[in-house]
Amino acid sequence: MVQNEQSLRIAIQKGGRLSEKTLNLLENVGLEFDSYKNRILVPCRNYDVELLLIRDDDIPEYVQDGICELGFVGHNVTAEAKADVTALRGLGFGKCRLSVAVPKNNGIHSLKDLDGCRIATSYPVLTREHFARQGLSIKTIEISGAVEIAPTLNVADAITDIVSTGGTLKTNGLIELETILESEAQLICTNKAIPAHKQELIDKILMRIGARQQAEKSRYIMMNAPADKVDALCQIIPSLKSPTVLPLAENNMVAIHSVIPTGRFWEVMEELKDAGATGIVILPIENMIV
Ligand code: PRT
Ligand code: ZN
């Protein structure tokens, strides 16, 4: 594919927690790329698209300024940057939260106890906003990495940091006091004018991501059952209300096909078995347009 000035440009994180999942998602929606090694701009083989691989902190601004039309980045980064962009879709990965954490057993039980204190953070804007909303004044100490060590070093009285499992806080003797922001990776779009041919591509990518996400939420289920058990089986899951029911050669037996929610599939499978279903098969769905 010949790239030109008119290529739709997508910013993604160069090397970090979101990189692999973002690249997988782009490939899953049909965009093919050559080697990413040591490259900043990577052309797409089959669409007029190019990837810009940069640090995640730079993504909101590049998208805001229209240098890239789209970006894949954590909501936490866009929110801290106060970027003027539109979040098109949450992507369901990179889930985390920005939290206030304090050394345990030091008598701090609520945010009010931190009035006038020093807070170490890589998120000064969101942190100041959060405390100010509650009428509290703090001094932010901006640190770009290993924020969790700041209280031990007596650089700060508390921190705000990204938390996922909570393991890092625990290791450093800190406990979470309050969540400032819930986050996940998002697809963001520029608010600058977008030419029609690029908008068409954006719509196509968005539709395909939607189909992928819908598919991930669902499983295809097939089972056999005596014909007189169909009603009972249909009670178990709502989506079985209008299943495909096919007669089998064996007397009074039918095959039932339907779609069920991914989250409950173990329970559903067990309940269907107890209600008389046999030969239950559950398959992942590649893509789904409803
Ligand atoms: O180099 P570049 O600037 O691009 O990357 P980065 O180092 O700034 O970011 P990176 O790759 O660490 O994270 C990218 C994005 O992943 C973040 O902006 C979040 O949106 C998301 N994310 C999800 C996380 C985490 N989970 C996470 N656990 N980002 C960081 N962490 C760190 C956190 O800072 C803390 O040090 O992991 C530690 C806490 O993890 P737990 O599991 O111990 O709680
Ligand atoms: Zn970063």
Side-chain angles (χ1 to χ4, degrees):
M1 191 104 219
V2 180
Q3 309 291 313
N4 56 56
E5 285 273 288
Q6 300 306 313
S7 295
L8 175 72
R9 200 175 277 157
I10 305 177
I12 70 167
Q13 194 188 15
K14 184 168 177 55
R17 283 169 206 266
L18 303 184
S19 307
E20 198 184 328
K21 288 205 165 132
T22 303
L23 288 166
N24 284 343
L25 177 61
L26 288 170
E27 282 172 7
N28 284 333
V29 298
L31 303 183
E32 296 170 11
F33 300 95
D34 292 323
S35 164
Y36 311 96
K37 270 198 183 147
N38 304 320
R39 299 183 71 165
I40 297 176
L41 273 175
V42 180
C44 175
R45 242 185 281 137
N46 54 344
Y47 284 96
D48 199 4
V49 170
E50 61 185 359
L51 293 185
L52 181 67
L53 286 94
I54 49 180
R55 287 197 59 192
D56 66 348
D57 313 68
D58 296 330
I59 294 175
E61 204 169 320
Y62 271 63
V63 174
Q64 171 182 277
D65 296 347
I67 295 161
C68 299
E69 284 81 15
L70 295 179
F72 287 81
V73 65
H75 172 51
N76 51 310
V77 179
T78 310
E80 175 68 17
K82 294 277 170 233
D84 176 16
V85 296
T86 300
L88 295 180
R89 198 174 276 276
L91 300 169
F93 59 85
K95 288 196 173 165
C96 56
R97 55 195 181 272
L98 177 65
S99 288
V100 183
V102 295
K104 65 175 176 199
N105 307 325
N106 76 343
I108 298 172
H109 302 294
S110 78
L111 218 60
K112 286 192 184 69
D113 298 330
L114 288 170
D115 200 12
C117 288
R118 301 161 302 161
I119 315 286
T121 184
S122 307
Y123 293 83
V125 173
L126 293 172
T127 301
R128 278 195 291 265
E129 251 182 28
H130 187 76
F131 280 84
R133 262 198 302 269
Q134 307 200 25
L136 304 172
S137 122
I138 49 148
K139 181 174 180 339
T140 50
I141 314 282
E142 204 170 330
I143 298 180
S144 59
V147 174
E148 63 278 0
I149 201 73
T152 307
L153 300 177
N154 197 22
V155 172
D157 308 297
I159 66 165
T160 70
D161 200 8
I162 296 295
V163 181
S164 171
T165 61
T168 305
L169 294 185
K170 204 169 173 192
T171 309
N172 288 280
L174 300 168
I175 48 162
E176 253 178 295
L177 206 58
E178 202 166 296
T179 300
I180 297 179
L181 181 89
E182 296 282 353
S183 181
E184 64 175 329
Q186 288 180 330
L187 173 58
I188 57 169
C189 182
T190 190
N191 287 334
K192 302 267 184 215
I194 300 174
H197 72 283
K198 292 191 188 185
Q199 188 60 52
E200 253 173 56
L201 255 177
I202 292 173
D203 293 344
K204 193 188 280 275
I205 291 169
L206 206 55
M207 192 275 287
R208 291 186 183 181
I209 291 176
R212 191 80 200 171
Q213 290 181 327
Q214 188 62 43
E216 276 161 15
K217 279 194 250 161
S218 314
R219 291 281 186 276
Y220 195 80
I221 185 165
M222 301 185 291
M223 73 201 93
N224 296 339
D228 62 359
K229 292 278 169 39
V230 171
D231 282 349
L233 293 168
C234 289
Q235 300 297 320
I236 295 170
I237 37 173
S239 53
L240 265 184
K241 270 191 191 122
S242 53
T244 307
V245 181
L246 307 161
L248 292 177
E250 199 181 331
N251 247 355
N252 293 323
M253 288 293 285
V254 292
I256 303 172
H257 292 201
S258 192
V259 171
I260 58 168
T262 302
R264 283 197 63 232
F265 85 80
W266 280 113
E267 290 85 345
V268 167
M269 207 160 126
E270 287 154 8
E271 286 171 34
L272 292 172
K273 181 172 171 289
D274 292 344
T278 55
I280 305 169
V281 176
I282 297 190
L283 302 169
I285 300 173
E286 187 78 12
N287 286 303
M288 188 168 160
I289 298 174
V290 287

